Amino acid sequence: MKVLKFGGTSVGTVESIKNVKKIVEGIQEPVIVVVSALGGVTDKLLYTSRLAAKGDSAYKQEFDEIVARHIAVTQGVMEKSVQKTVLQKVEETLSELENIFKGVSLIKDLSPKTSDTIVSYGERLSSLIVSHVIEDAKLYDSRLFIKTYRQLNKDVVDFELTNKLIRDTFAVIPKVALVPGFISSCRDDDEVTNLGRGGSDYTASILAAALNASTLEIWTDVDGFMTADPKVISSAYVIHQLTFTEAMELCNFGAKVIYPPTIYPAFHKNIPIKVLNTFNPSAPGTLISAELPAKASENDKKAMIKGISSINDTCLVTVQGLGMVGVIGVNYRIFRTLAKNDISVFMVSQASSENNTTFAVRNEDSDLAVAVLNEEFTPERERGEIEDIEAEKGLATVAIVGENMKRTPGIAGKLFGTLGRAGISVIACAQGASETNISFVIKFEDLRKALNSIHDSFFLSEYKVLNIFIAGVGTVGGHLLEQIERQQQKLMHQNGVKLNIAGIANSKKMLLKRQGLDLKNCINDLKINGIDSSPSILRDEIIKMNIFNAIFVDCTSSEKISALYETLLNKNISVVAANKLAASSAYKNYSLLKETARKRGIKFLFETNVGAGLPIINTMNNLINSGDRILKLQAVLSGTLNFILNTVSENVPFSKVVKMAVDAGYAEPDPRIDLGGKDVLRKLVILARESGYVVEQEDVEHIPFIPEEYLKGTIEDFWKKIPELDATFEENRKKLIVKNMRLRYVASMNEGKCRVELREVDARHPFYELEGSNNIIMISTERYHDFPMIIKGYGAGADVTAAGVFADIISIANIR
């Protein structure tokens, strides 16, 4: 024999009741079927009661809707042959209910007993209807065998009496016994009581335990317990196996799949509970048992945590004062006072110094809790031993749950490290000696971010998600989006990393979407659907989203965009910059950004600031981190200038090559930015700083690639004047051919002293054969002294720069 319970949504419509019929009639062994009221009816009954108690005639309309709902369902599910009989019984029951509402309206009073009687009609009506739908079903009245008594203003089950009455009632179990859930009666006067919201689950569990059922099945509208709330975490999935302890912890902290008291009777008799979906009966659901079965998946057995649950409605109350230290009985008085006033506490945290005790209650109980405790501790407050007690509202409680947390070092460290990197402050926390639950309180506004961060960090998500915002979707940004689109599926399936482009922006518009943009059409969508933006608006909107694992990618050359980095880093948003303005700005600002990222446990990466996609900065960092010291650098760092020097020939003059560099995308639209050597200077400053030296741009000895006079005026003036240099460059080229030498624009650093200049190199020099737009760097260190380390390759172009940015993004995925 087994017990099945069907919730309100499972019996809420004609179609769902037909599903129930099919499920029950498909079972061969005897079953007890417990049903809730039709979905939403209990709330409707309570609302109608309140209207009637105020003498508001609107209660009649509400009641009429209740009547219409039940009659419509009866007509929809009944065979014509029995419909008339059943409708008569339903209408008689509804008539009783109507008379009670009339009485409440006349006397304008709603006692707890009357309220309990009114809400009992929900289950009485639903069980009456369903009992005539399922073949061979016999209807029972749970008021006759579920008995309660009053304790601390609540109705508590008298298990000794209840179990005896259940066994007597079901000495012989019919093929299908149909029982209304939720309803009970007082053992002393037989007045109607109930088991509380969600009590139908409890009814089913009490019956299963009393009759030693083989299984308790809870049929609902979800596929089982989820790793987290799927409304918050799209990647949440069904947990196929839980222990009783894990299920109880998840239920107590907000998982609304099962009413928490349901678990104890089944646990006491070691009766497995299955959570199944009425609307998807073939789904395996969740099995809850004393221990994981031998056939449980390896993932279920090894997972450090099974799930995350949360309570949105949280208020912290703190009792504190130096007068509490060493005083016996303070906590006894706190919790005695709360219990006397029917205030439930769901989390407690106490300082080891004993000078404060903090506990969590529902917001609706907070004002009463503060009032009664201030009254209880009036003498101590007057003496200054205890401070005035106050409540902090607008909070949420989160719990991570799992049997495998027991005796496993590092769980708490990983949890709080994850929250810290996400920029989430923990206000209070608690962990019992059982080690199956760590619960903590945070600001409600951080709840979504916290849940996603934990779910991602503990590998409950199928993929590790990075939420990326890209500023600048032109050449580099556009190529980056294309590369991400091409690699997205491969990264998900081979690396378990999902890159979610949560926003893009250009200089005028932005387009944000938490769930991720369509990469095939996002640039076009930005033009059509983007909203007006500016650097400050973009920053504020990204921060407002408060999204987890966020990365801001700067593919612009904007100083205003680079000015956003500090604020973003302080909000625990990693920054990847192709824009070199921040890293080459005042050393104080550079140092601040690096330090902020370090303290926040996030990343500020700018590998592409030098050498496009070449691994220059990362290599230098590895050398230094392994204990080496960088002494000298020599480098050709401008792909544009190297292209120009390699392309100038007798038939292709300097001015034409400059135009070719612009057209090929090697040079900026205004090539004076490259020709002035300022870009190389910035790169050298960045390299010197990454080598460990304090260098400002003003410290660099700088000789421009072309005379200063050609860098002034308008761009039109430049194009008119630049042919004047053709003859000079051709003359120098011919002289160098005779000497078997070539020109290179070289950046050098010798123990912090920096210089940028045009330099002649002979055929033996590593720079001599540097082709096209390639870059090269020679790194001399204490280890690589006689034979410097050389890194060489493509140093310009949107595609390779985008690839370098992409690599920085992936490196962040690997450290989270």
Side-chain angles (χ1 to χ4, degrees):
M1 185 275 295
K2 59 183 178 181
V3 177
L4 286 68
K5 177 265 176 178
F6 292 90
T9 52
S10 297
V11 294
T13 66
V14 170
E15 287 305 313
S16 62
I17 292 175
K18 288 180 179 179
N19 287 344
V20 172
K21 173 181 171 66
K22 186 176 179 180
I23 290 166
V24 174
E25 291 179 357
I27 299 171
Q28 301 304 312
E29 62 184 303
V31 294
I32 297 177
V33 176
V34 178
V35 295
S36 299
L38 273 59
V41 165
T42 301
D43 287 333
K44 192 88 164 174
L45 288 167
L46 289 168
Y47 179 62
T48 307
S49 300
R50 290 193 292 270
L51 289 176
K54 290 190 293 186
D56 189 336
S57 61
Y59 87 86
K60 294 177 182 178
Q61 182 179 341
E62 296 295 324
F63 176 72
D64 288 343
E65 291 176 7
I66 294 170
V67 171
R69 171 97 180 271
H70 286 87
I71 289 175
V73 168
T74 304
Q75 291 173 334
V77 297
M78 292 295 159
E79 298 290 341
K80 293 290 185 183
S81 58
V82 296
Q83 193 177 106
K84 184 177 179 181
T85 304
V86 178
L87 274 174
Q88 184 179 345
K89 292 179 180 179
V90 169
E91 287 168 352
E92 286 173 0
T93 307
L94 287 166
S95 180
E96 292 175 17
L97 178 59
E98 182 180 24
N99 288 331
I100 297 172
F101 279 134
K102 285 179 179 178
V104 170
S105 179
L106 286 170
I107 65 173
K108 294 184 177 60
D109 180 65
L110 181 66
S111 69
K113 284 186 177 182
T114 304
S115 180
D116 286 347
T117 300
I118 289 171
V119 293
S120 74
Y121 277 87
E123 276 70 15
R124 288 168 63 186
L125 285 161
S126 66
S127 59
L128 173 61
I129 295 168
V130 176
S131 69
H132 286 85
V133 174
I134 299 172
E135 187 176 343
D136 298 325
K138 181 180 177 182
L139 180 61
Y140 289 78
D141 186 347
S142 52
R143 293 173 295 180
L144 301 177
F145 48 81
I146 306 288
K147 294 294 181 177
T148 64
Y149 62 94
R150 203 72 177 161
Q151 185 181 75
L152 296 176
N153 298 320
K154 289 187 177 180
D155 294 308
V156 179
V157 175
D158 181 338
F159 277 100
E160 185 176 352
L161 176 58
T162 295
N163 289 339
K164 179 181 181 303
L165 292 172
I166 289 173
R167 293 188 191 107
D168 291 345
T169 303
F170 296 96
V172 178
I173 301 174
K175 183 178 180 183
V176 179
L178 206 295
V179 176
F182 177 67
I183 310 169
S184 52
S185 65
C186 179
R187 69 183 180 185
D188 302 318
D189 56 16
D190 291 331
E191 291 284 353
V192 177
T193 59
N194 63 64
L195 304 181
R197 298 302 295 266
S200 293
D201 290 352
Y202 198 20
T203 301
S205 184
I206 292 167
L207 285 164
L211 298 172
N212 293 312
S214 61
T215 309
L216 168 61
E217 294 182 357
I218 306 293
W219 289 84
T220 179
D221 59 355
V222 294
D223 284 342
F225 276 84
M226 307 286 285
T227 51
D229 184 350
K231 294 176 184 175
V232 177
I233 301 175
S234 59
S235 58
Y237 57 88
V238 175
I239 308 169
H240 293 302
Q241 287 108 9
L242 288 169
T243 64
F244 285 118
T245 301
E246 290 170 336
M248 178 66 84
E249 295 284 9
L250 288 170
C251 289
N252 279 331
F253 279 88
K256 298 176 181 178
V257 181
I258 296 180
Y259 181 50
T262 303
I263 296 170
Y264 177 73
F267 162 75
H268 185 63
K269 288 293 188 75
N270 197 21
I271 297 169
I273 302 172
K274 290 183 178 178
V275 181
L276 300 162
N277 190 343
T278 307
F279 306 94
N280 185 20
S282 61
T286 299
L287 172 66
I288 304 168
S289 56
E291 56 186 31
L292 293 181
K295 63 180 181 180
S297 70
E298 286 302 309
N299 285 343
D300 280 322
K301 290 178 180 178
K302 292 179 180 178
M304 287 189 289
I305 69 172
K306 280 293 187 66
I308 313 163
S309 58
S310 59
I311 300 173
N312 302 353
D313 177 21
T314 297
C315 174
L316 279 185
V317 179
T318 299
V319 180
Q320 62 182 344
L322 295 178
M324 293 171 62
V325 178
V327 177
I328 296 172
V330 173
N331 283 341
Y332 165 73
R333 290 170 62 191
I334 291 172
F335 296 112
R336 180 193 63 187
T337 301
L338 296 171
K340 280 169 59 179
N341 289 275
D342 199 24
I343 298 170
S344 176
V345 172
F346 54 83
M347 196 192 91
V348 179
S349 178
Q350 182 177 27
S352 59
S353 63
E354 300 181 341
N355 73 341
N356 72 71
T357 297
T358 298
F359 56 88
V361 298
R362 304 279 182 181
N363 282 312
E364 64 184 21
D365 293 329
S366 60
D367 291 341
L368 177 59
V370 169
V372 297
L373 288 173
N374 274 326
E375 183 179 350
E376 171 68 23
F377 290 100
T378 297
E380 289 85 355
R381 290 192 300 114
E382 289 176 347
R383 294 195 297 269
E385 296 170 358
I386 290 179
E387 298 173 18
D388 287 348
I389 297 157
E390 296 180 348
E392 184 177 358
K393 300 180 181 179
L395 307 175
T397 306
V398 179
I400 65 168
V401 173
E403 292 271 12
N404 288 346
M405 290 164 56
K406 291 179 180 178
R407 312 289 184 267
T408 303
I411 300 291
K414 184 171 184 177
L415 170 65
F416 295 119
T418 297
L419 295 170
R421 284 194 300 274
I424 297 168
S425 176
V426 174
I427 300 167
C429 63
Q431 180 179 22
S434 69
E435 298 186 75
T436 57
N437 173 324
I438 301 176
S439 43
F440 56 93
V441 177
I442 57 176
K443 291 181 179 178
F444 175 74
E445 65 197 47
D446 289 328
L447 178 59
R448 176 185 287 270
K449 189 177 185 182
L451 294 176
N452 276 282
S453 297
I454 297 166
H455 203 267
D456 183 81
S457 178
F458 281 90
F459 303 104
L460 292 178
S461 298
E462 185 177 1
Y463 309 110
K464 181 174 289 188
V465 179
L466 298 184
N467 290 295
I468 300 168
F469 300 89
I470 301 176
V473 290
T475 49
V476 173
H479 278 82
L480 176 61
L481 286 168
E482 290 173 6
Q483 291 175 12
I484 290 173
E485 184 192 351
R486 286 198 301 269
Q487 287 293 106
Q488 203 162 37
Q489 292 301 314
K490 182 179 178 182
L491 285 170
M492 288 167 67
H493 295 129
Q494 293 189 10
N495 301 74
V497 174
K498 181 179 179 182
L499 302 183
N500 184 57
I501 307 302
I504 59 174
N506 57 28
S507 59
K508 296 179 180 178
K509 290 187 173 185
M510 67 180 176
L511 187 65
L512 305 179
K513 187 178 181 182
R514 181 181 289 275
Q515 294 77 16
L517 299 171
D518 175 9
L519 296 188
K520 289 185 182 295
N521 303 305
C522 63
I523 293 180
N524 192 49
D525 287 345
L526 176 65
K527 295 174 184 174
I528 299 169
N529 302 315
I531 61 174
D532 291 343
S533 181
S534 68
S536 59
I537 292 173
L538 177 63
R539 174 201 63 205
D540 294 344
E541 289 300 315
I542 291 173
I543 292 170
K544 192 186 298 181
M545 284 179 77
N546 202 23
I547 201 166
F548 79 111
N549 284 1
I551 303 174
F552 180 76
V553 179
D554 182 5
C555 294
T556 75
S557 57
S558 165
E559 188 171 359
K560 290 182 178 179
I561 294 293
S562 69
L564 305 179
Y565 297 175
E566 182 185 352
T567 303
L568 295 172
L569 290 168
N570 273 310
K571 292 295 181 179
N572 287 73
I573 298 170
S574 291
V575 172
V576 172
N579 183 346
K580 61 182 71 70
L581 293 179
S584 63
S585 63
Y587 184 86
K588 182 178 180 181
N589 183 58
Y590 158 85
S591 179
L592 174 65
L593 296 177
K594 298 264 288 187
E595 183 65 13
T596 301
R598 188 188 66 79
K599 285 182 177 179
R600 292 280 178 177
I602 54 175
K603 290 293 178 180
F604 170 42
L605 301 177
F606 42 88
E607 178 67 73
T608 56
N609 280 192
V610 181
L614 295 177
I616 295 173
I617 293 175
N618 190 45
T619 301
M620 290 170 58
N621 288 337
N622 288 339
L623 288 170
I624 292 170
N625 292 336
S626 66
D628 205 351
R629 179 168 171 262
I630 296 174
L631 304 174
K632 295 180 183 178
L633 299 173
Q634 288 189 70
V636 173
L637 299 174
S638 174
T640 303
L641 299 184
N642 202 53
F643 171 82
I644 291 170
L645 292 172
N646 283 330
T647 309
V648 168
S649 68
E650 186 176 357
N651 299 318
V652 187
F654 172 73
S655 59
K656 184 175 180 179
V657 173
V658 173
K659 188 69 170 65
M660 290 167 60
V662 173
D663 293 341
Y666 294 139
E668 296 291 335
D670 183 348
R672 292 175 297 177
I673 296 171
D674 299 289
L675 296 171
K678 186 75 172 178
D679 187 61
V680 175
L681 183 151
R682 288 189 178 120
K683 291 176 180 178
L684 181 59
V685 166
I686 293 169
L687 290 179
R689 290 172 175 179
E690 291 295 291
S691 300
Y693 299 97
V694 179
V695 175
E696 302 286 1
Q697 289 190 32
E698 296 76 19
D699 300 332
V700 180
E701 189 177 347
H702 170 222
I703 301 172
F705 187 78
I706 59 175
E708 288 279 359
E709 61 199 78
Y710 292 93
L711 302 174
K712 298 173 182 177
T714 65
I715 185 66
E716 290 77 15
D717 293 335
F718 168 79
W719 287 117
K720 288 176 184 177
K721 292 171 62 179
I722 196 66
E724 296 173 7
L725 293 175
D726 290 350
T728 303
F729 269 88
E730 176 59 17
E731 182 182 348
N732 289 337
R733 187 187 68 81
K734 287 178 178 178
K735 289 179 180 177
L736 289 171
I737 289 174
V738 174
K739 296 193 293 184
N740 196 24
M741 300 182 80
R742 291 177 180 170
L743 274 179
R744 294 288 180 253
Y745 197 60
V746 178
S748 59
M749 187 276 294
N750 188 344
E751 296 197 357
K753 295 186 181 299
C754 300
R755 180 180 175 87
V756 176
E757 62 185 335
L758 262 175
R759 188 184 297 177
E760 297 176 358
V761 297
D762 61 31
R764 294 172 299 172
H765 199 285
F767 294 176
Y768 183 84
E769 297 290 350
L770 194 63
E771 298 177 358
S773 61
N774 286 0
N775 280 192
I776 188 170
I777 182 168
M778 298 168 58
I779 306 172
S780 298
T781 73
E782 290 180 344
R783 294 177 188 156
Y784 294 85
H785 189 266
D786 295 330
F787 299 96
M789 178 183 290
I790 296 176
I791 301 171
K792 177 181 175 181
Y794 288 122
D799 203 38
V800 292
T801 303
V805 172
F806 200 168
D808 273 351
I809 293 170
I810 296 303
S811 73
I812 293 175
N814 293 335
I815 61 102
R816 283 187 178 273

